[in-house]
Amino acid sequence: MESSAHLITPSVTPNDALTRGRKDSSSFPSMLNSQITMFKITTSAGNSIEQPVRPGDRFSGVLVVQLSRPISATQVVLDLTASERWATTLKGGTRPERTHIFAANLVLWKAVRNGAANASTVLSDGLHVFNFSCQIPNLNYPQNTQRPEFEITYLLEAKLLAPKDYGSEQVAGKVTKELFFTPLVVLAPNLEPLVVAETLYFEKKGKRGKPAVEVRAVANTRQLLPGSKIKLDVSIKEIASSSWTRIMVRLIERTRCRISTQMPFSQPLWSADRELVHTEVVRSSVYSYFINDEMLGKPTSETKTANGETVTTESLMFNIPAIPVGAMSTDHLDFTHFIRIEVIVPNWLSSDRSVYMDMPVQMMTCEINNAARFLSRRGSIPSIERKTDSDNSSVVSGKSESSGLRSAHTMERSTVMSEDAQAMVLGSLPPRYFD
């Protein structure tokens, strides 16, 4: 695989490219630019959301260093780290906190001094290839993400160190590769639809005003998987001549941050919402068409109650995007998800008014049928190992060394799993890293 890793960009709108690729970074002191012509990391997994590393995975990689001339150097080192950064306030101007989730390191090459205390150390010109393999612990770490308020990153960083005065070292070159990690978050199948009914009221000066509409929403599932679809049937009864015109439906991720594990998430330092996806339906009787192409041309049902109130039923369907979500909480960050149904009511004397209700949902990263193939992992500590063919010609395959690593979004014909098998899978899932 190429050494470009995908990372979500800070965004709150579904139309932005949340999984747009971000190039790996390399840096060299100006004096060495002409000497280091290539410094690159390539890995067999973790390159995108479609090919992440998961708990217990072992994957291979290659570090390639090309020099136009010999260079004074002491060693070439490789670090595998996972870290969490979070802001202590949303107002800005304060230094964010950062903690390490795990770390491992490896010396890929070290100069031989031949017993002389101050002998020169030289890495020869030409192409140097260092093969390695990485072991991810069999623990459910949070999925990597990047936002202004917080970020969770998984990095491979290689450094070429050169001698400095008084026996110290300096960084002559550095390259960083970001890895995608996805935990195994699986729930017992729940075939019951999610039903929420509520009377929604207008608000005036922060207080509840007169009732606007009665809304009943039925979702075909309450368990969502990135890359899947969800269908909603929404029934709206108008109250007090509140003639609505359109419905906005959003899938929202809410993040709450706490300063320490001694504080409950119910008393967060801050809370922030991110819109993952949205869709819109325009009332058919008003505009005679849908914004949602998948339901284009489907008829709606409008009836009158005995009191003369209009009841309208609309159906809509939208895709859950294949983007990283906060499916696994951390020591400092808690993630919840809900579908917000917003009913827009025109106000002919001023701007439109709206009322909304929220439907709590649960996010997964893998279906239970697909999770079984990942459960052959064994507990381990994070590690990086040298491979015997280092500093020679090498090829990294497009597959991970872990058996059967496949994306959770791969479309397969589902098979029926017995309740005992489901219980075994759920009982074998990796624990959270901080439990």
Side-chain angles (χ1 to χ4, degrees), residues 226-347:
S228 63
K229 293 183 179 181
I230 182 172
K231 182 177 181 294
L232 281 174
D233 295 313
V234 182
S235 177
I236 302 174
K237 182 170 76 172
E238 297 174 353
I239 303 175
S241 301
S242 300
S243 181
W244 66 275
T245 57
R246 56 196 173 98
I247 307 171
M248 292 290 297
V249 181
R250 297 179 174 89
L251 174 60
I252 297 175
E253 177 179 270
R254 174 163 295 167
T255 306
R256 296 182 296 178
C257 177
R258 64 182 180 182
I259 191 68
S260 71
T261 56
Q262 305 302 316
M263 298 295 294
F265 282 116
S266 58
Q267 300 175 9
L269 282 174
W270 52 261
S271 176
D273 290 350
R274 175 174 67 136
E275 180 182 299
L276 302 180
V277 65
H278 80 256
T279 190
E280 179 178 358
V281 170
V282 177
R283 185 171 180 174
S284 301
S285 61
V286 177
Y287 295 105
S288 73
Y289 67 91
F290 283 103
I291 294 294
N292 188 352
D293 292 338
E294 292 199 34
M295 304 303 295
L296 186 64
K298 297 296 180 65
T300 62
S301 172
E302 290 198 5
T303 59
K304 293 284 187 179
T305 67
N307 297 327
E309 298 166 325
T310 302
V311 179
T312 307
T313 301
E314 305 278 4
S315 295
L316 60 143
M317 184 177 293
F318 60 96
N319 297 320
I320 308 302
I323 62 174
V325 296
M328 180 64 60
S329 296
T330 74
D331 281 340
H332 303 282
L333 300 171
D334 175 65
F335 303 97
T336 55
H337 301 84
F338 55 90
I339 295 173
R340 173 161 292 175
I341 300 176
E342 184 176 4
V343 181
I344 311 298
V345 180
N347 190 347

Side-chain angles (χ1 to χ4, degrees), residues 96-372:
E97 298 286 341
R98 182 180 292 274
T99 58
H100 268 34
I101 298 175
F102 67 76
N105 57 75
L106 172 69
V107 176
L108 294 172
W109 175 86
K110 192 175 181 66
V112 179
R113 294 179 177 268
N114 296 323
N118 297 315
S120 62
T121 56
V122 175
L123 186 62
S124 63
D125 60 334
L127 188 68
H128 300 268
V129 179
F130 303 98
N131 294 275
F132 61 89
S133 64
C134 297
Q135 175 73 54
I136 302 295
N138 189 38
L139 295 172
N140 259 337
Y141 297 104
Q143 193 161 15
N144 57 315
T145 185
Q146 182 183 28
R147 294 182 59 194
E149 305 90 0
F150 67 91
E151 69 176 357
I152 298 168
T153 56
Y154 296 82
L155 299 177
L156 274 173
E157 183 178 79
K159 289 181 286 190
L160 174 60
L161 301 180
K164 197 177 179 181
D165 296 337
Y166 306 109
S168 60
E169 295 175 314
Q170 63 179 340
V171 178
K174 181 174 69 174
V175 61
T176 301
K177 177 180 175 58
E178 295 176 310
L179 298 174
F180 256 102
F181 177 86
T182 298
L184 278 176
V185 180
V186 183
L187 301 172
N190 187 341
L191 302 180
E192 292 293 326
L194 175 61
V195 181
V196 176
E198 191 174 337
T199 299
L200 306 182
Y201 294 82
F202 290 119
E203 287 192 6
K204 187 175 183 180
K205 296 181 180 181
K207 296 182 179 180
R208 175 183 288 189
K210 64 179 182 179
V213 291
E214 290 182 5
V215 179
R216 184 179 187 272
V218 181
N220 64 326
T221 180
R222 65 188 68 202
Q223 299 173 346
L224 306 185
L225 184 70
S228 63
K229 293 183 179 181
I230 182 172
K231 182 177 181 294
L232 281 174
D233 295 313
V234 182
S235 177
I236 302 174
K237 182 170 76 172
E238 297 174 353
I239 303 175
S241 301
S242 300
S243 181
W244 66 275
T245 57
R246 56 196 173 98
I247 307 171
M248 292 290 297
V249 181
R250 297 179 174 89
L251 174 60
I252 297 175
E253 177 179 270
R254 174 163 295 167
T255 306
R256 296 182 296 178
C257 177
R258 64 182 180 182
I259 191 68
S260 71
T261 56
Q262 305 302 316
M263 298 295 294
F265 282 116
S266 58
Q267 300 175 9
L269 282 174
W270 52 261
S271 176
D273 290 350
R274 175 174 67 136
E275 180 182 299
L276 302 180
V277 65
H278 80 256
T279 190
E280 179 178 358
V281 170
V282 177
R283 185 171 180 174
S284 301
S285 61
V286 177
Y287 295 105
S288 73
Y289 67 91
F290 283 103
I291 294 294
N292 188 352
D293 292 338
E294 292 199 34
M295 304 303 295
L296 186 64
K298 297 296 180 65
T300 62
S301 172
E302 290 198 5
T303 59
K304 293 284 187 179
T305 67
N307 297 327
E309 298 166 325
T310 302
V311 179
T312 307
T313 301
E314 305 278 4
S315 295
L316 60 143
M317 184 177 293
F318 60 96
N319 297 320
I320 308 302
I323 62 174
V325 296
M328 180 64 60
S329 296
T330 74
D331 281 340
H332 303 282
L333 300 171
D334 175 65
F335 303 97
T336 55
H337 301 84
F338 55 90
I339 295 173
R340 173 161 292 175
I341 300 176
E342 184 176 4
V343 181
I344 311 298
V345 180
N347 190 347
W348 308 118
L349 299 179
S350 61
S351 59
D352 290 349
R353 296 176 293 177
S354 66
V355 290
Y356 66 86
M357 71 176 187
D358 296 334
M359 305 175 66
V361 293
Q362 299 170 303
M363 297 299 300
M364 302 188 296
T365 64
C366 186
E367 292 179 335
I368 194 167
N369 289 338
N370 293 331

